[in-house]
Amino acid sequence: MSDNINLDKNASSPNIKVGIIGYGFSGKNIHSRLIAATPGLEIKKVCDQHASLQDDYPFTLVDNVEAVFSDPEIELVVIATPNITHFPLAKAALLAGKNVVVDKPFTVTVAEAEELAALAITQQRILCPFQNRRYDNNFLTVRKLLQEKALGEVRYFESNYTMFQPSVNAGWREKNTQGSGVWFDLGAHLIDQMVQLFGEPQQSFVTFDTQREGASSPDFFHGTFVYPSLRVVLHGTLLSAWEPPRFRINGTEGSFVKYGQDPQEEALVAGTQPGSPGWGYDEQPGKLHRREGDQVIETTYQGVSGNYPAFYLQLRDALRGEGEPPVKVEQALATMRIIENTPRL
């Protein structure tokens, strides 16, 4: 995964036509804006029964998924709909001969994920889970830090994704339905990042809670994941007015603390052009702590800029037969196994 943003590679090749299903928050603010900024990708149709495109982009708006699946020019379909619909829509898209991107979580059960993976092989199509937070500046910084072994051998790794949303949202993410709640929403990101760094754990345990008045799906989780010489803690909540460290890591030669959320989603919502100057810049460098004698020495560790555009750039190249997709189906299966099979305490 490159940390540099290159929007020009193969820009002269024919455009790959894209259809987006779902034009809510993710479809409108994340997928459509990243795709529109990627040379070689062109959005042809957007399917949503409730959306109004206004003057956003020159898409054709349709209200029937068949208008996307039956269009012979569309090579790539992006599924950005409620979690419970990911499986049937992705299956239909694959059966229609399309390559498919599926928003996280990939599906709501392991069985669904395995069926899609097998179908993609049969159809000889790319099936790519969307894990944009692999490209967060804070995660890229931590990955670089661990690759450099700046902390020696890591023994404790803590990852927090917290928000302060004391009022329950009326949207589908907070309904009492399969695949709703923060474990599937925030947890899917943190689990994917953990597996990228350390692989699948030997044991895992998670506690859920519903802490806000009127909430009907879990809005809190706290999980512990056991590796041979490492303990990982993943924590997510919608009821934290205080922001804990995004990452806290202890190793045999020092510790690292990193505050601050990645700014790319906020920039996309604001309409900032992906890849523009300063894109994804980390304004809150992490702090390294090492003991020298009887003193603890603190130094600044400058972060890596975030790189959401890299996802669709790499996918474009994979669709042209040049390299691998940015997220492999096998990796999504690992994440789904942890989401579904982690014992609840």
Side-chain angles (χ1 to χ4, degrees):
M1 185 190 305
S2 173
D3 298 328
N4 298 317
I5 300 175
N6 178 6
L7 298 179
D8 298 319
K9 182 182 178 183
N10 294 328
S12 62
S13 300
N15 285 348
I16 296 169
K17 302 294 195 303
V18 182
I20 299 176
I21 299 178
Y23 203 63
F25 180 86
S26 180
K28 177 179 180 178
N29 295 301
I30 310 296
H31 292 283
S32 69
R33 291 177 181 169
L34 291 174
I35 294 168
T38 306
L41 297 184
E42 178 185 341
I43 303 172
K44 184 178 182 187
K45 290 180 179 177
V46 169
C47 177
D48 196 300
Q49 295 180 338
H50 308 291
S52 173
L53 292 182
Q54 300 173 347
D55 296 325
D56 285 348
Y57 298 109
F59 308 154
T60 297
L61 179 63
V62 298
D63 62 4
N64 190 318
V65 294
E66 289 303 321
V68 175
F69 295 154
S70 64
D71 189 327
E73 290 191 340
I74 291 177
E75 298 180 51
L76 174 65
V77 172
V78 176
I79 309 295
T81 54
N83 297 345
I84 200 168
T85 67
H86 288 181
F87 170 72
L89 289 173
K91 181 177 180 179
L94 287 169
L95 289 172
K98 309 301 183 184
N99 302 288
V100 182
V101 168
V102 185
D103 217 337
K104 64 81 201 167
F106 186 43
T107 56
V108 297
T109 69
V110 174
E112 289 178 346
E114 291 174 340
E115 184 174 340
L116 289 181
L119 181 59
I121 293 172
T122 300
Q123 294 294 100
Q124 298 183 332
R125 291 295 181 267
I126 289 176
L127 174 62
C128 187
F130 185 67
Q131 285 288 358
N132 59 305
R133 296 204 174 275
R134 292 187 183 187
Y135 303 87
D136 278 359
N137 58 19
N138 45 46
F139 178 68
L140 292 175
T141 296
V142 164
R143 193 185 65 177
K144 177 174 178 286
L145 178 87
L146 298 187
Q147 288 173 342
E148 294 173 348
K149 292 192 174 296
L151 304 178
E153 297 299 321
V154 175
R155 296 291 184 255
Y156 176 79
F157 183 95
E158 178 182 321
S159 177
N160 294 288
Y161 202 146
T162 64
M163 301 180 182
F164 188 56
Q165 298 177 358
S167 298
V168 176
N169 191 297
W172 59 265
R173 285 181 175 83
E174 299 204 43
K175 301 294 185 183
N176 185 21
T177 58
Q178 189 178 24
S180 65
V182 293
W183 183 235
F184 281 86
D185 189 16
L186 308 182
H189 287 306
L190 302 192
I191 292 168
D192 177 74
Q193 291 179 345
M194 175 183 71
V195 172
Q196 285 295 291
L197 294 175
F198 307 118
E200 294 186 58
Q202 294 178 324
Q203 292 179 289
S204 54
F205 313 91
V206 64
T207 298
F208 296 129
D209 199 5
T210 304
Q211 299 183 332
R212 297 169 302 158
E213 183 176 356
S216 59
S217 62
D219 52 19
F220 169 97
F221 68 83
H222 187 87
T224 299
F225 302 85
V226 179
Y227 293 81
S229 59
L230 167 69
R231 299 296 180 267
V232 173
V233 170
L234 305 182
H235 180 81
T237 179
L238 300 182
L239 195 63
S240 179
W242 171 72
E243 183 181 353
R246 177 64 182 84
F247 291 100
R248 185 162 68 94
I249 311 171
N250 296 331
T252 56
E253 297 179 14
S255 297
F256 177 75
V257 178
K258 176 70 179 73
Y259 285 88
Q261 291 288 355
D262 180 274
Q264 293 177 92
E265 182 175 298
E266 183 177 342
L268 288 169
V269 172
T272 304
Q273 177 70 12
S276 57
W279 180 265
Y281 179 72
D282 189 352
E283 296 183 350
Q284 293 183 266
K287 299 294 183 180
L288 275 172
H289 300 83
R290 292 189 177 92
R291 182 171 292 279
E292 296 182 8
D294 59 355
Q295 291 186 328
V296 175
I297 306 301
E298 179 184 281
T299 58
T300 296
Y301 188 87
Q302 183 58 51
V304 178
S305 292
N307 194 1
Y308 284 8
F311 177 90
Y312 276 108
L313 286 167
Q314 188 173 342
L315 179 60
R316 175 203 64 190
D317 293 346
L319 290 169
R320 291 172 171 167
E322 302 172 3
E324 297 290 330
V327 181
K328 297 180 179 180
V329 175
E330 294 81 5
Q331 296 166 341
L333 290 173
T335 297
M336 287 308 307
R337 284 193 292 268
I338 295 171
I339 289 176
E340 183 173 302
N341 297 329
T342 296
R344 278 63 165 163
L345 295 178

